Amino acid sequence: MVAFRSRLLTTTVFAGAAIALTSPAQAQVAEPTVGTGLQQEAGTGDGSGDETIVVTGSRIQRRDLTSPSPIAVVSAEEFQLTGAINVEQVINTLPQAVPGTTGFSNNPGSGAATLNLRNLGATRTLVLVNGRRWMSYDTNQIVDLNTIPQFMLQNVEVLTGGQSATYGSDAIAGVVNFNLRQDLNGAIIGGQYALTEQGDGARYDVNFAVGSKFADGRGSVTVYANYTRREPIFQDARGFSRNAAGDGCIVPGSTNSTTGIGTNFGGALATCASRGGEVGLIPQGSASTPLATLPGITTGGASLGYVFNPTGGGTRAFNDPADLYNFAPDNYLMLPQERYLLGGYGSYELADNITGYTEVGFVKNSVPQELAPTPIGQALNLQIASPWFNEQTRGLLRPLDTDNDGYVTTNVNFRFNQSGPRNVDASRTAFRLLGGLRGNITDNLRFDVYYMYARTENQQYQQGNISRSRFAAATETEIVNGTLRCRAAAARTAGCVPLNVFGLGLADPAAIRYVTVNSTNLERSDIRNFVASINGDLFTVGNSVDPVAFAAGVEYRGMSASYRPDTFLSSGDVAGFNAGQPTSGEYDVREVFGELRVPLVSEGFIHKLELTGNARYSDYSLDAVGGVWTYAGGAQLSPIRDITLRGQYARAVRAPNVQDLFGGNSTGFPAAQDPCSDRGAAGNRTEAVRQLCIANGVPAANVFTRAVQPNAQIQANFGGDPNLSEETSDTYTAGVVFRPSFIPRLNVTVDYFNIKVEDTIATFGGGLNDALSLCFTVAQNLTNPICSIFQGVRNTTTGAIGETSGGRNPNVLSANIATLKTSGIDVAADYSLPVDFSITGGDRSNVSVSFLGTYLDKFRSTSVAAIPERETIGEGSVPNVPTLNPMPKWVHTARLSVSDGPMVLSLRWRYRGPVKDRRLDNTFVGLVRTPQDPALFPNARIGAVNYFDLSTAFKATDRLQITIGVNNLTNQKPEVLGSLQEQANTFPGTYDVLGRDFFVGARLQF
């Protein structure tokens, strides 16, 4: 955290308009020019100043902002110039960051905004505020960025690589430190309003903060408050997301320019071109529709079963994709939000050299999610003589009545549009309390002791769930004295009303009310953190001006979390939202740490040589983890003042969190391909796989058909394992900092990073999709442990997996099973140029340029480390481990700003390079990587995108500042994607889905 006002920071309110990467070289003194737009790193030219600071990634105080690891800094003004009301809107544009869950994450989504460095996952990114841990929001112990007051930010520091030796567990990908401003003396009232060009998606916030010194300057206090509101946008409000899209064969030239979807030509993709078709996007959706279907009855040439007529009674053959349900319009594109945020912090000098300090925070945040009405698929006991069926339908059912009792059991798929959409209101209430003492023991020895407690409570109120048992009872009928009623007496006593789903909108509203169940689920997360440390100077070595410095201390962290679904949800008697079992657990860790900084040479035969090292021993209460060491070592060498070479090695760990360890079974719907269906690679459809599928329970006639997997998603259960051990990572960074004295105000940094994570905690087999592939195409032995989760889970009639398809859910639990590797190069530059020209009547203006880019050399994941041949190539494509996000080889953000007196005009350029469909390079036949023909994929390549954002900010008066801007100036729209998509036919956290977006903000300071 930065503990002082750097002399190099510019003095105007809009200084720092550019994103600038800090550089750990000792810098020359920058010109104190108005509006340079730079966030400089170093303190003084010679390091002889009296002020001291603490750099993120270290606990040692020093006179300059040097670091052996690269640190990127985002200034507070960047948030103003982008119209951001949440920190995710700026942080996710950094090349180092890959969007986690965002305000566009509806399904999948959690109502939270998370941070994901290097695509290594939100659980491997440590989030700090003022250099200390923040509150987490769930059993995964992840920070919700919605709880951080962006309007109070001084800056944000992003540090790459393992930092566990400094901060403890979780800092594998790096650390993001949000520094709140400490210099407020007066009051600030501000607000922002944003609206898309289409007139929707309104967002606004109102902020207030006041700070003051008291007791003759011995004390200071700052309090703040915020209200934020965001209106929703549904997917049908944009052409690209209006219709669910899927891969298919289309009529040549039929692609709609707005929706990206063509006219279905039918047939397999492999033969599309030879039959006169064209590979493209077709209408896609779910096989569960508002008209009930009978997928298990495939007589009469109806290979996908039968669907009922809208008027009821009769049926016809189900057609894919014509009869699939378009669920897109029912889903949010941008989620609504309402947030109340209060907080404060202060300090008071209790005695000479002893200062007490405190931080408090409270947030109440509500982010609803809305999905299409509940789909359901299960075996029902149907009365053949029911008035719901005509004679044609009865003719389909009678052959199944083997005991001649007038009833048949068969699978029925249906979507409950009459009960309305599924909605969950995720309401979070969180608070954080911190108190501490800091001061000087001697002139060269300082101490800092604090205790922090934080709690987050989540309440999820779900609407639109369906009881499976009631659905079964309401569709199993009998006729008594000419009256149709529920067959089971117990069900009738409980209020059962016959439910006619065999037509469009034919269900009795009383029957809908009987089967519909709402639920309330509670989640709580607590963290207790005590840290006591000392740091100081020891002695000098050689001719170094700076002394050897050290820091040492102890730390305690206690983590606990619980998830308490209501009785209905935990019973598993649910369709709609995911069923889940109660989860609760806690553990703690006791740690001792130390750090050493050894300046060997300064202003000698070389300009500077410095070594750094730190280590931490952690003793976990978890038997499978126990005691672990983390450590790091680094060096900086400046042969001349203008050039600094730097490098570091770090060993880091991530201990399993409460969800990893104690998570009860929850139900999910991941995208997956069953090799026994027709959705997998054609090369895998061998006789060996066929026989394995039959042995696993797939009817011989259904092998390699759509009946085995009617939907692109497969339902499964997921949960934790209390025997998990820690993840470990090794990070190497090396770089150069160039600050040429002959080009004042130019800073250039180039840094290489290489991170490898082993024993990665992941779902068994790397997830459902990988487990299916490994079992049926690699192991090919049902007695192999990788196949154990697929025993007895298939629908005996169709061979499908998952309860929504009439089978059972496989249990895909957590395991230390995978590896992750990534490497690349970060490039940063900033430059400012004073010019003797002004249009506002001043003497001069200033032009500043900043650039931050990342070249991704490699991103590799291995779902099962014991099978390294099945390594996934992620760079330049869309990997699905650990998160599903495009990973271009090159990403950059650049900003050009012109500051002229009270005004700044700024243009930002965001670039994301092209990516390709991951299946092109990551399709396997057994252990053999089998490159695919790009011509068989409608989105074989997603092109590069360029976004331009224009803003201006000016002082209307000495106290009033106004900001106006437009993001996505050229109205760039996302490419419509088929099966490659995350949601809404795209990746809404990565590609802009709002279109041209306007904002205005004002801030009054007095």
Side-chain angles (χ1 to χ4, degrees):
M1 61 181 172
V2 177
F4 76 116
R5 279 179 153 180
S6 169
R7 294 193 185 99
L8 296 180
L9 295 179
T10 55
T11 57
T12 64
V13 66
F14 293 112
I19 296 178
L21 184 76
T22 62
S23 310
Q26 202 169 317
Q28 72 260 359
V29 178
E31 294 286 341
T33 308
V34 173
T36 61
L38 293 178
Q39 186 87 354
Q40 298 281 0
E41 178 176 330
T44 64
D46 58 8
S48 61
D50 294 330
E51 296 171 306
T52 59
I53 54 176
V54 176
V55 184
T56 296
S58 173
R59 295 180 184 272
I60 295 176
Q61 292 192 9
R62 59 191 72 197
R63 294 185 179 89
D64 57 25
L65 272 163
T66 60
S67 168
S69 295
I71 304 176
V73 174
V74 184
S75 68
E77 290 74 21
E78 183 68 19
F79 291 85
Q80 296 179 28
L81 291 174
T82 55
I85 63 173
N86 287 312
V87 298
E88 63 171 288
Q89 294 171 258
V90 172
I91 299 303
N92 282 337
T93 65
L94 294 178
Q96 300 97 322
V98 173
T101 56
T102 70
F104 303 100
S105 300
N106 187 52
N107 183 30
S110 62
T114 62
L115 207 159
N116 176 10
L117 288 181
R118 308 291 185 191
N119 200 33
L120 294 177
T123 58
R124 301 179 185 95
T125 301
L126 181 61
V127 175
L128 306 175
V129 175
N130 292 335
R132 294 179 278 266
R133 288 182 180 253
W134 196 241
M135 44 193 159
S136 56
Y137 79 89
D138 69 349
T139 54
N140 287 299
Q141 298 163 222
I142 299 172
V143 171
D144 181 1
L145 299 182
N146 289 314
T147 61
I148 298 174
Q150 63 85 13
F151 63 95
M152 289 297 296
L153 289 175
Q154 174 179 308
N155 60 36
V156 183
E157 299 168 302
V158 182
L159 181 62
T160 292
Q163 297 296 323
S164 290
T166 303
Y167 298 110
S169 179
D170 304 334
I172 279 183
V175 175
V176 180
N177 183 28
F178 295 86
N179 291 303
L180 304 185
R181 60 180 301 181
Q182 306 292 321
D183 59 350
L184 182 59
N185 190 18
I188 295 176
I189 299 176
Q192 291 190 118
Y193 180 79
L195 193 70
T196 73
E197 185 178 58
Q198 298 194 30
D200 57 10
R203 287 139 285 147
Y204 56 88
D205 71 345
V206 179
N207 311 310
F208 171 77
V210 59
S212 177
K213 296 183 181 298
F214 61 91
D216 296 326
R218 295 179 64 186
S220 66
V221 63
T222 299
V223 295
Y224 57 84
N226 162 268
Y227 174 76
T228 297
R229 187 176 182 88
R230 182 175 64 207
E231 301 297 336
I233 300 176
F234 281 90
Q235 288 184 21
D236 63 353
R238 298 292 185 272
F240 67 85
S241 58
R242 188 172 299 144
N243 299 286
D247 300 356
C249 186
I250 64 173
V251 174
S254 64
T255 299
N256 184 288
S257 60
T258 300
T259 66
I261 296 174
T263 302
N264 185 36
F265 190 75
L269 286 174
T271 61
C272 180
S274 63
R275 292 182 289 107
E278 175 182 294
V279 173
L281 300 177
I282 60 174
Q284 186 60 278
S286 170
S288 297
T289 80
L291 293 168
T293 63
L294 303 173
I297 301 178
T298 57
T299 57
S303 60
L304 300 178
Y306 288 83
V307 59
F308 278 82
N309 299 324
T311 56
T315 59
R316 61 170 175 80
F318 186 91
N319 293 313
D320 181 354
D323 289 325
L324 297 177
Y325 177 73
N326 179 26
F327 51 77
D330 303 317
N331 284 259
Y332 284 141
L333 180 63
M334 183 170 74
L335 281 64
Q337 179 187 20
E338 186 174 39
R339 180 182 67 184
Y340 299 88
L341 196 151
L342 300 169
Y345 42 88
S347 64
Y348 183 75
E349 186 178 353
L350 301 172
D352 290 345
N353 296 319
I354 299 179
T355 299
Y357 62 93
T358 186
E359 298 175 0
V360 297
F362 170 82
V363 61
K364 181 175 177 59
N365 189 52
S366 176
V367 183
Q369 298 164 259
E370 190 158 305
L371 285 68
T374 293
I376 195 168
Q378 70 184 70
L380 301 178
N381 202 27
L382 303 179
Q383 182 187 18
I384 297 175
S386 169
W388 298 336
F389 308 135
N390 65 12
E391 193 56 35
Q392 177 254 342
T393 299
R394 294 184 185 116
L396 296 174
L397 298 175
R398 284 193 185 100
L400 304 179
D401 185 15
T402 56
D403 58 3
N404 296 315
D405 66 348
Y407 289 86
V408 298
T409 299
T410 189
N411 292 320
V412 175
N413 290 345
F414 181 68
R415 186 175 293 269
F416 278 87
N417 282 38
Q418 282 186 258
S419 68
R422 287 171 286 171
N423 185 280
V424 56
D425 185 1
S427 179
R428 294 191 172 92
T429 302
F431 69 88
R432 177 178 179 267
L433 304 172
L434 182 144
L437 295 171
R438 61 174 176 252
N440 294 338
I441 301 172
T442 68
D443 290 343
N444 292 321
L445 188 63
R446 297 161 290 275
F447 74 92
D448 189 358
V449 179
Y450 68 86
Y451 177 80
M452 185 270 288
Y453 176 76
R455 171 181 291 181
T456 301
E457 293 185 343
N458 307 333
Q459 177 176 289
Q460 300 171 352
Y461 179 65
Q462 298 179 351
Q463 296 174 286
N465 284 316
I466 301 298
S467 166
R468 288 186 173 277
S469 62
R470 294 185 182 185
F471 178 51
T475 52
E476 184 176 354
T477 60
E478 63 182 7
I479 301 173
V480 177
N481 298 325
T483 300
L484 188 71
R485 69 179 189 183
C486 298
R487 187 182 186 191
R492 294 196 302 272
T493 301
C496 182
V497 177
L499 177 67
N500 183 6
V501 299
F502 305 102
L504 187 61
L506 303 181
D508 186 330
I512 292 291
R513 289 193 296 271
Y514 169 70
V515 299
T516 302
V517 181
N518 299 327
S519 65
T520 301
N521 311 305
L522 303 176
E523 195 168 19
R524 195 176 91 176
S525 177
D526 297 81
I527 180 171
R528 303 169 301 282
N529 191 199
F530 171 80
V531 180
S533 64
I534 58 173
N535 73 85
D537 302 333
L538 297 175
F539 48 82
T540 59
V541 176
N543 73 336
S544 176
V545 175
D546 294 324
V548 173
F550 81 100
V554 295
E555 181 168 359
Y556 168 84
R557 289 193 309 279
M559 285 72 63
S560 62
S562 64
Y563 169 66
R564 292 175 289 165
D566 70 4
T567 304
F568 166 67
L569 202 68
S570 61
S571 70
D573 181 25
V574 58
F577 288 101
N578 299 340
Q581 294 297 313
T583 297
S584 65
E586 62 181 332
Y587 65 93
D588 59 32
V589 57
R590 292 167 172 81
E591 301 175 305
V592 58
F593 57 83
E595 181 180 353
L596 196 63
R597 174 189 177 221
V598 184
L600 296 175
V601 179
S602 70
E603 302 294 349
F605 63 97
I606 58 175
H607 177 63
K608 179 180 178 182
L609 175 61
E610 178 180 295
L611 303 178
T612 60
N614 53 355
R616 175 179 293 246
Y617 179 77
S618 305
D619 184 16
Y620 286 86
S621 62
L622 302 169
D623 291 340
V625 179
V628 295
W629 281 97
T630 54
Y631 40 85
Q636 297 179 79
L637 169 64
S638 298
I640 60 174
R641 181 183 293 270
D642 294 3
I643 298 175
T644 297
L645 306 176
R646 60 185 176 188
Q648 186 180 59
Y649 163 76
R651 163 62 63 94
V653 301
R654 181 181 83 87
N657 56 48
V658 171
Q659 180 63 35
D660 294 331
L661 293 163
F662 312 113
N665 278 0
S666 62
T667 303
F669 295 83
Q673 292 181 346
D674 187 341
C676 297
S677 74
D678 66 346
R679 292 181 181 269
N684 284 325
R685 297 171 198 167
T686 64
E687 183 59 27
V689 173
R690 172 184 291 277
Q691 295 304 318
L692 196 67
C693 294
I694 294 172
N696 191 230
V698 179
N702 286 2
V703 176
F704 303 145
T705 70
R706 187 56 54 95
V708 177
Q709 189 184 340
N711 301 306
Q713 297 172 316
I714 298 177
Q715 190 176 10
N717 296 331
F718 302 88
D721 182 346
N723 296 313
L724 293 172
S725 61
E726 75 279 4
E727 300 177 346
T728 61
S729 74
D730 293 293
T731 299
Y732 299 87
T733 60
V736 59
V737 180
F738 182 49
R739 282 177 165 167
S741 55
F742 53 88
I743 308 179
R745 300 172 303 279
L746 173 64
N747 307 285
V748 179
T749 65
V750 180
D751 288 281
Y752 169 79
F753 63 88
N754 186 308
I755 305 172
K756 181 178 182 180
V757 189
E758 296 182 306
D759 297 322
T760 302
I761 298 171
T763 50
F764 179 83
L768 179 61
N769 185 62
D770 283 353
L772 282 165
S773 178
L774 291 171
C775 172
F776 289 93
T777 69
V778 177
Q780 295 192 332
N781 183 346
L782 294 179
T783 63
N784 189 292
I786 198 70
C787 297
S788 61
I789 62 174
F790 303 116
Q791 298 291 359
V793 300
R794 293 190 180 275
N795 182 309
T796 56
T797 302
T798 65
I801 294 173
E803 291 181 357
T804 55
S805 297
R808 292 173 52 203
N809 296 339
N811 293 313
V812 191
L813 306 182
S814 298
N816 288 102
I817 197 170
T819 61
L820 291 168
K821 294 184 290 185
T822 185
S823 61
I825 298 174
D826 290 330
V827 180
D830 56 66
Y831 177 68
S832 66
L833 178 66
V835 294
D836 296 326
F837 174 79
S838 173
I839 62 174
T840 62
D843 294 332
R844 64 197 320 195
S845 57
N846 192 78
V847 178
S848 62
V849 180
S850 70
F851 177 89
L852 185 62
T854 295
Y855 170 75
L856 181 62
D857 179 45
K858 288 185 179 180
F859 185 90
R860 304 294 172 92
S861 62
T862 306
S863 299
V864 179
I867 310 178
E869 295 87 352
R870 294 292 293 262
E871 180 183 68
T872 297
I873 300 172
E875 68 272 11
S877 70
V878 186
N880 57 1
V881 176
T883 56
L884 188 69
N885 277 294
M887 298 199 68
K889 298 280 285 186
W890 178 256
V891 180
H892 74 241
T893 298
R895 185 177 284 279
L896 170 66
S897 299
V898 179
S899 301
D900 187 357
M903 181 185 70
V904 61
L905 180 66
S906 188
L907 177 69
R908 182 174 64 162
W909 174 25
R910 295 175 284 145
Y911 173 84
R912 300 191 66 86
V915 294
K916 57 186 177 181
D917 192 314
R918 61 181 171 274
R919 293 171 292 185
L920 295 178
D921 295 328
N922 296 299
T923 298
F924 293 87
V925 175
L927 296 177
V928 179
R929 190 184 304 273
T930 309
Q932 301 296 293
D933 183 358
L936 300 180
F937 297 86
N939 303 115
R941 182 180 184 274
I942 304 174
V945 292
N946 294 275
Y947 299 112
F948 295 95
D949 311 316
L950 181 66
S951 59
T952 183
F954 57 91
K955 284 188 173 182
T957 69
D958 288 341
R959 299 185 182 276
L960 178 63
Q961 306 153 14
I962 296 176
T963 308
I964 301 173
V966 54
N967 291 322
N968 195 357
L969 183 65
T970 58
N971 199 27
Q972 180 78 33
K973 296 179 175 62
E975 182 175 337
V976 181
L977 307 178
S979 61
L980 188 62
Q981 66 177 289
E982 180 198 35
Q983 54 187 298
N985 294 336
T986 184
F987 295 90
T990 300
Y991 299 111
D992 190 299
V993 295
L994 296 181
R996 193 175 289 118
D997 190 38
F998 301 89
F999 67 89
V1000 59
R1003 177 174 291 192
L1004 180 64
Q1005 186 164 355
F1006 53 90

